[in-house]
Amino acid sequence: FDQHVARWAGTDSPSLFLDAGNRAFYRALVGTNAPWLRFTRVRVDGRAVAMHLGFHHDGTFLWYKPSFDVALARHSPGEVLLRRREA
């Protein structure tokens, strides 16, 4: 949540994770452990520098909620995450 909030801070589209209700919804969704959920991470020295929550069903992957460490933006951790995604 913090990565997503930081990424969208100061834009015209602030993160939906500023709202506690939205955070609770996503926690509950991930807690279902549904087989169609996909959560991927890129780590550097054990620290998550990019993350994504998406969906996979019937051979289709939906890229949904990405985030990345804004301090590393010039290194494009989100691009690395795109290439790493597993369906």
Side-chain angles (χ1 to χ4, degrees):
F1 297 138
D2 293 341
Q3 263 189 10
H4 197 271
V5 169
R7 162 64 178 90
W8 293 101
T11 72
D12 291 336
S13 302
S15 173
L16 63 97
F17 298 131
L18 289 170
D19 180 89
N22 287 333
R23 290 191 306 270
F25 170 79
Y26 282 88
R27 278 189 189 105
L29 176 65
V30 170
T32 67
N33 221 9
W36 38 265
L37 281 173
R38 294 293 184 269
F39 186 75
T40 51
R41 285 176 285 238
V42 173
R43 294 177 187 257
V44 173
D45 295 329
R47 183 172 61 100
V49 298
M51 295 180 270
H52 172 258
L53 173 69
F55 310 96
H56 182 257
H57 177 69
D58 199 22
T60 300
F61 182 80
L62 176 65
W63 180 258
Y64 182 60
K65 271 300 169 223
S67 71
F68 62 88
D69 184 337
V70 294
L72 298 173
R74 69 184 185 99
H75 299 291
S76 303
E79 290 293 322
V80 174
L81 180 67
L82 273 169
R83 297 188 195 303
R84 187 206 178 288
R85 87 138 178 99
E86 297 173 12

